[in-house]
């Protein structure tokens, strides 16, 4: 049996701001943009990984969610407590500089981690943590 990652979901509160970051800053391609029952899902992915997609979804993608639940999810998103994504890169320092120069909110500058990677971290416009790592060179 062969199991592969196909999609992961990231909650965003403003799809247009998220697109400006994921497409224009990170360089991901837009694969789909779907609206349904007042909600929107935008699928993006790295051109080098056509079989793996990130779906930018509403904080609570359920049409029957209560207003209180929607508010709770929006509060958690604003605090950066919902999700995180880790990207790999062949040059952590260059990736860091490119994202920082584009106005990305820096959480951690590049550092060699004890678990074998050099990584850095940012928040996306919705508050989600994004880490970018590369294997450390010997």
């Amino acid at each position: 049996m062969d199991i592969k990652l196909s999609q992961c979901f990231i909650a965003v509160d403003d799809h247009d701001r998220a697109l400006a970051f994921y497409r224009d800053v990170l360089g991901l391609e837009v694969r789909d943009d779907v609206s349904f029952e007042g909600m929107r899902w935008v699928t993006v992915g790295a051109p080098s990984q056509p079989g793996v997609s990130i779906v930018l979804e509403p904080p609570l993608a359920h049409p029957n969610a209560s207003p209180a639940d929607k508010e709770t999810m929006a509060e958690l998103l604003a605090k950066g407590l919902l999700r995180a994504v880790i990207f790999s890169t062949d040059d952590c320092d260059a990736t860091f500089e490119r994202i920082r120069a584009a106005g990305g909110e820096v959480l951690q500058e590049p550092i060699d981690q004890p678990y074998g990677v050099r990584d850095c971290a940012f928040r996306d416009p919705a508050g989600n943590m994004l880490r970018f790592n590369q294997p450390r060179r010997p």
Side-chain angles (χ1 to χ4, degrees), residues 76-92:
L76 291 171
L77 177 61
K79 293 177 183 179
L81 297 175
L82 290 186
R83 297 179 180 94
V85 175
I86 300 175
F87 292 91
S88 62
T89 179
D90 60 354
D91 190 334
C92 180

Side-chain angles (χ1 to χ4, degrees), residues 7-104:
Q7 298 174 328
C8 66
F9 291 78
I10 298 176
V12 299
D13 55 357
D14 183 326
H15 282 83
D16 293 326
R17 281 186 350 145
L19 267 174
F21 182 79
Y22 284 92
R23 180 192 57 216
D24 303 337
V25 176
L26 299 187
L28 301 181
E29 63 186 10
V30 177
R31 298 186 177 156
D32 212 353
D33 192 336
V34 177
S35 294
F36 180 71
E37 293 194 21
M39 294 177 282
R40 183 178 178 195
W41 291 263
V42 178
T43 304
V44 297
S48 62
Q49 290 183 298
V52 180
S53 297
I54 297 170
V55 180
L56 306 174
E57 68 172 347
L60 186 55
H62 192 288
N64 298 321
S66 72
D69 287 344
K70 288 179 182 179
E71 183 177 332
T72 298
M73 292 299 287
E75 289 171 359
L76 291 171
L77 177 61
K79 293 177 183 179
L81 297 175
L82 290 186
R83 297 179 180 94
V85 175
I86 300 175
F87 292 91
S88 62
T89 179
D90 60 354
D91 190 334
C92 180
D93 294 276
T95 299
F96 174 82
E97 291 303 331
R98 187 179 83 237
I99 297 169
R100 180 171 66 173

